[in-house]
Structures are given as structure tokens and as C-alpha cells.
Amino acid sequence: ARRRVIDLSHTIAHGLVTYPGLPAPEIAEHLSRDASERSYGPGVRFHIGRISMVANTGTYIDSPFHRFDDGADLARLPIERFAALDGVLIRAPGARRAIGPDELAPHDVAGRAVLLCTGWDRHWDTPSYAVEAPFLSAEGTRWLVEHGATLVGIDSINIDDMADRSRPAHTGLLRAGIPIVEHLCRLDQLPASGFTFHAAPPAVEQF
């Protein structure tokens, strides 16, 4: 049987606002097809695009370097921290915003990509996306670290409560070397377990 592949990332478009206050991506043309034909010859047409954006755009990975000066960046984290990971889905679409040990404890997370399905991606690209969004609590963070999660992702604007400037989830996970994937989508299409998660990023230094 053909394996089903589900893309869990949002599309990046010119002017897209991922996080309020951060600049939107600029997608432009570096070399047009007409200009390339003038340069290369009749019928030889290429398009070369140019993208300018902050790292926190669309669906992205936070490496330990994002939080700590001496933390590993994307170029230093081994590919097995991002790709071909055994995944576990934790459904937490209820009214309580904070996801903690009560929601996590029934699941085996050791060595796995833990994806928190809140359903908040339904608000993507709207003002509601940044208002009272669900998040991983400090207690939930400690539980995931203690139980050996390899990666943690969420379909929300921030894995932390945006009102908590101390950012305990980022701090606890990234200190433990656990990458974070934010702004996931379509997690509701995944089974509870038995799936493979891939989020291999370009090996960019200082990201």
C-alpha cells in the first residue's frame, strides 16, 4: 500500500504575518524569464527568485541556539533529531489553555517526536491566532524532559504562554537539547501513534 504523507507546515507567502511584530517575508524576482532570455539566448528562460525573511516565519524549528548563546544551531544538531522520528500525537483541544502532565502522562514519549494537537491552526493568518492561544506549561515541559522526548511541536503561535516573558517551555526544552517546532497544522489528520515525523531544516549556522 502507498504510504500516506501529510504536510504539517504552513505555506509561506509574500506579506505573511506569522508572529505579530515581526517583519513579513518579502518574496521577489531576482532574475526574470525575459531577462534571462536576453542574457542566455532565444528560448533559454529561467526564473530566479529572492526571499528575505526572519527565521521565525511560517512553520519553523527553534534550535538551542535560539535561546542560549552556546546552544547548538541547526548546522550542529544531528539530522536524526529532526528526521525519521517515531511520532506520538497528544490531542489537547479542550478549553484549558495550558497543556501539562495530566494530558501528557498517558503517552510514551521517550525517544519520540511529541506533537501537541490543539486545533489552534484553524485561526492561522487571522488576528485570533495571537489571542489566548494554548501552550505547554512549565510542569509539562519538565515532564517531557524527564521522560526523554526527542522533539516537541505544537499547532499554536508559541509553545509558551505569550504573556509569560520568561518563556519556561523554550528554556526547559532547548536547555535539554530538544528542538521545538511551532506553527504546525493539520495535526488532526494524524493517528495517535505509528507515524513517522520529518522536519529536517537547512543546516544554517546561528539559527
Side-chain angles (χ1 to χ4, degrees):
R2 184 178 179 182
R3 176 176 290 183
R4 185 183 181 201
V5 178
I6 301 172
D7 185 356
L8 304 177
S9 59
H10 289 285
T11 298
I12 296 174
H14 180 82
L16 170 75
V17 174
T18 297
Y19 196 96
L22 294 180
E26 300 174 5
I27 301 176
E29 189 173 63
H30 173 70
L31 179 68
S32 71
R33 300 187 191 281
D34 290 343
S36 69
E37 188 171 28
R38 290 193 296 270
S39 176
Y40 288 92
V44 184
R45 297 170 63 82
F46 299 99
H47 171 268
I48 298 177
R50 180 179 58 80
I51 302 173
S52 175
M53 65 184 190
V54 296
N56 294 48
T57 299
T59 303
Y60 56 77
I61 293 175
D62 285 337
S63 71
F65 180 80
H66 175 63
R67 178 66 177 80
F68 300 104
D69 293 347
D70 59 350
D73 58 24
L74 294 179
R76 287 193 290 151
L77 281 170
I79 191 69
E80 56 265 25
R81 298 307 300 266
F82 308 112
L85 296 173
D86 182 29
V88 58
L89 186 73
I90 297 176
R91 298 184 187 275
R96 195 170 80 166
R97 292 177 59 214
I99 301 168
D102 288 348
E103 291 81 14
L104 304 172
H107 304 274
D108 176 12
V109 303
R112 306 173 87 179
V114 179
L115 306 184
L116 306 177
C117 178
T118 72
W120 206 250
D121 58 320
R122 67 185 181 275
H123 297 300
W124 173 253
D125 203 18
T126 73
S128 298
Y129 191 61
V131 179
E132 298 294 308
F135 61 93
L136 177 66
S137 70
E139 296 78 15
T141 299
R142 286 193 291 271
W143 192 94
L144 288 172
V145 171
E146 291 168 0
H147 287 80
T150 296
L151 176 149
V152 180
I154 192 169
D155 57 356
S156 178
I157 190 169
N158 200 311
I159 201 163
D160 274 297
D161 182 357
M162 291 176 65
D164 187 345
R165 307 296 288 180
S166 69
R167 297 295 194 258
H170 278 88
T171 301
L173 293 174
L174 296 178
R175 179 186 288 129
I178 301 172
I180 298 166
V181 183
E182 292 173 313
H183 309 282
L184 288 165
C185 61
R186 294 182 283 274
L187 292 182
D188 60 310
Q189 297 185 33
L190 296 178
S193 61
F195 63 90
T196 302
F197 180 75
H198 302 273
V204 182
E205 294 183 347
Q206 299 190 5
F207 278 91

